[in-house]
Amino acid sequence: MSENQNLKELVKQRYNELALNAEALKGCCCGVNPKGSSKRVFTIMSEDYKNLEGYEPDADLGVGCGLPTQYAKIKEGDTVVDLGSGAGNDCFIARAEVGENGSVIGIDFSPRMIARARANARKRGYANIRFIEGDIESMPLENNVADVVVSNCVLNLLPKKDIIFKEIYRVLKQGGHFCISDVVLEGVFPKEFTDNAAMYAGCIASAIQKEDYLSEIKKAGFKNICIERTKTVVIPDEVLHEHLDENTIRKYKSGSVGIYSITVTGRKL
């Protein structure tokens, strides 16, 4: 198995576990391994969805790093695709915006997340929302099907970001656009940090430099690229000490690394 495939399997396992342990782990994706001894939870990146129309508490696992639907300019009747849809949180918010004449498609590669999202949709009788198990590096969708693509703290987890942005471009209609909240870096992490499995699956060590991230968007063909919002991410000492040794923490803190959640938009012209 290739290194890229190993990383994807690590993330899939982590999110399968998160789906099974959602109540115990209601917090950031940087929380603890559900099989570990500690039950401490840290919501260092998650946003408050409670006041948004369409919010469903049991679909909110707190693993996002932004509010992409807030900046996505979704219109009634749109077809919206959510990448890494998890338990369906952003999909249900998007559904409230597209109305009964629109549709929402959630894609996730975690079978247990898909099962959880489908159960949430069935419980509410939603007919214009569906969840598909699939890899967002090769989406199970035809060309030119989406008016809007959204994603929340997902692309940073996967190694082939260039392929993902090309896939987003492919599935968008001409004139369509994306709105993605994701984690990016400025500066260089210690190697021991980026090699840490928990930090990788926790949305931090897998992130890339902000300029490289924006470059991949441009190379995919998008225009009118705009960072709508930037938020600084601070990793609590408790999380660092849970997953890293003292030497690695010291190297990390002595560096000049910036971790940011950005919400970025771009259009297919």
Side-chain angles (χ1 to χ4, degrees), residues 42-57:
F42 304 92
T43 56
I44 67 174
M45 288 188 284
S46 59
E47 298 277 356
D48 188 356
Y49 275 78
K50 294 183 180 64
N51 295 323
L52 297 182
E53 185 179 358
Y55 175 70
E56 304 289 356

Side-chain angles (χ1 to χ4, degrees), residues 20-254:
L20 287 175
N21 294 272
E23 292 306 313
L25 283 177
K26 190 169 173 53
C28 173
C29 56
C30 299
V32 300
N33 185 321
K35 294 182 179 180
S37 58
S38 173
K39 297 299 181 184
R40 289 176 296 174
V41 179
F42 304 92
T43 56
I44 67 174
M45 288 188 284
S46 59
E47 298 277 356
D48 188 356
Y49 275 78
K50 294 183 180 64
N51 295 323
L52 297 182
E53 185 179 358
Y55 175 70
E56 304 289 356
D58 52 358
D60 183 7
L61 304 184
V63 296
C65 62
L67 297 169
T69 53
Q70 194 171 49
Y71 299 89
K73 297 182 175 64
I74 297 169
K75 302 189 302 295
E76 186 173 357
D78 276 350
T79 296
V80 177
V81 174
D82 179 21
L83 306 182
S85 49
N89 191 33
D90 286 292
C91 288
F92 296 131
I93 302 295
R95 183 191 174 278
E97 297 180 342
V98 303
E100 294 298 329
N101 295 322
S103 62
V104 180
I105 303 167
I107 302 176
D108 202 291
F109 70 175
S110 164
R112 292 192 175 110
M113 281 295 188
I114 288 292
R116 187 178 177 89
R118 287 172 176 168
N120 285 333
R122 279 197 305 271
K123 185 163 58 176
R124 293 162 177 85
Y126 293 155
N128 62 337
I129 183 168
R130 61 191 174 108
F131 294 96
I132 303 172
E133 184 181 339
D135 190 333
I136 63 175
E137 291 178 0
S138 180
M139 294 185 214
L141 297 175
E142 297 179 358
N143 298 345
N144 309 309
V145 295
D147 297 289
V148 185
V149 171
V150 297
S151 187
N152 195 347
C153 204
V154 172
L155 273 60
N156 67 83
L157 288 166
L158 300 174
K160 296 184 178 179
K161 296 167 182 63
D162 56 336
I163 293 177
I164 297 172
F165 282 116
K166 289 175 184 175
E167 276 290 276
I168 293 172
Y169 192 92
R170 179 183 67 79
V171 302
L172 277 170
K173 299 175 183 176
Q174 205 72 30
H177 64 280
F178 72 80
C179 184
I180 291 170
S181 294
D182 219 346
V183 178
V184 295
L185 312 176
E186 288 185 339
V188 181
F189 282 105
K191 187 175 186 301
E192 298 90 337
F193 190 108
T194 55
D195 285 348
N196 182 278
M199 287 298 171
Y200 191 97
C203 311
I204 300 294
S206 50
I208 64 173
Q209 299 296 308
K210 182 172 76 171
E211 289 306 312
D212 293 338
Y213 193 96
L214 296 175
S215 177
E216 294 299 350
I217 297 173
K218 292 175 186 175
K219 286 191 290 186
F222 288 103
K223 307 296 182 183
N224 301 341
I225 300 164
C226 178
I227 296 178
E228 306 285 350
R229 180 185 184 224
T230 300
K231 181 178 71 172
T232 300
V233 175
V234 178
I235 308 176
D237 284 346
E238 294 91 338
V239 173
L240 293 173
H241 285 288
E242 178 143 10
H243 297 295
L244 302 171
D245 60 48
E246 293 297 329
N247 186 48
T248 301
I249 293 171
R250 187 163 51 252
K251 286 183 181 179
Y252 164 65
K253 288 191 170 185
S254 66

